[in-house]
Amino acid sequence: MSLNRNEKAAVVSDVAAQVARSQTLALAEYRGLTVEHLNALRKQAREKGVYLHVLKNTLARRAVQGTPFEVASDAMVGPLIYGFSEDAVAAAKVIADFAKGNDKLIVKAGAYAGKPLDANGVKALAAVPSKEVLLSQIAGLLKSPVQRMAAVVAALAEKRGGSAEAPAA
């Protein structure tokens, strides 16, 4: 099915609007995937907030023109599915994780922070923990010294033969 000029302009503007909000682009070749597999991939992408679409490469190149994702234009050849995400790792994670379980989806390339990524770069980006995980790790690191200090104070109070309670007046 061929798109007319107005439909193509609408696709380009829709993708360009998503590109403006995104931090990461991940590209994968989907040749040979069944409809069920594509639907499962799209479901995972929706759950993670990833904009995932099969696009004509020429329209995708127009949509990313003049943006940090333009560096991936050379990789936009063949039957590709495009994943854009506001989260720095979500698009790469969705595509790389799905590719681990399905050999028909092949990670091709991507872009992050104005730098092109090859397939290994996308997989490496996918291995980075999500923002929520990193924040919880930082919180755990900040909480750890306080817990140790409280344990030391409690042990000292116990050693002195009393509890850590205030004396009665």
Side-chain angles (χ1 to χ4, degrees), residues 24-168:
T24 305
L25 164 64
L27 307 171
E29 186 176 308
Y30 65 93
R31 189 176 300 165
L33 277 181
T34 63
V35 173
E36 295 86 29
H37 288 126
L38 274 175
N39 288 339
L41 176 59
R42 286 185 171 120
K43 182 178 183 238
Q44 288 177 10
R46 269 192 309 274
E47 290 170 356
K48 304 281 186 188
V50 175
Y51 177 88
L52 189 73
H53 282 283
V54 173
L55 300 168
K56 286 183 158 256
N57 294 326
T58 54
L59 298 179
R61 280 190 211 101
R62 284 185 197 151
V64 300
Q65 195 170 18
T67 70
F69 299 122
E70 189 172 11
V71 296
S73 292
D74 293 341
M76 295 178 184
V77 275
L80 296 175
I81 193 160
Y82 291 79
F84 293 96
S85 65
E86 293 179 36
D87 183 343
V89 298
K93 192 175 288 288
V94 166
I95 288 178
D97 288 349
F98 194 83
K100 285 179 191 172
N102 192 318
D103 61 342
K104 302 278 189 208
L105 186 72
I106 302 166
V107 178
K108 286 295 186 179
Y112 175 71
K115 293 182 177 70
L117 301 172
D118 61 356
N120 290 329
V122 173
K123 291 174 185 172
L125 186 61
V128 173
S130 68
K131 180 180 177 182
E132 292 78 21
V133 171
L134 290 173
L135 288 174
S136 67
Q137 288 175 347
I138 290 172
L141 288 172
L142 293 174
K143 186 175 100 175
S144 179
V146 174
Q147 281 181 325
R148 285 194 207 127
M149 179 68 144
V152 168
V153 169
L156 284 174
E158 193 75 26
K159 187 176 181 182
R160 288 197 168 170
S163 65
E165 298 173 9

Side-chain angles (χ1 to χ4, degrees), residues 1-15 55-56 58-60 62-63:
M1 180 172 92
S2 182
L3 300 175
N4 68 34
R5 187 178 179 101
N6 291 335
E7 291 169 331
K8 288 178 183 178
V11 168
V12 169
S13 67
D14 180 44
V15 175
L55 300 168
K56 286 183 158 256
T58 54
L59 298 179
R62 284 185 197 151

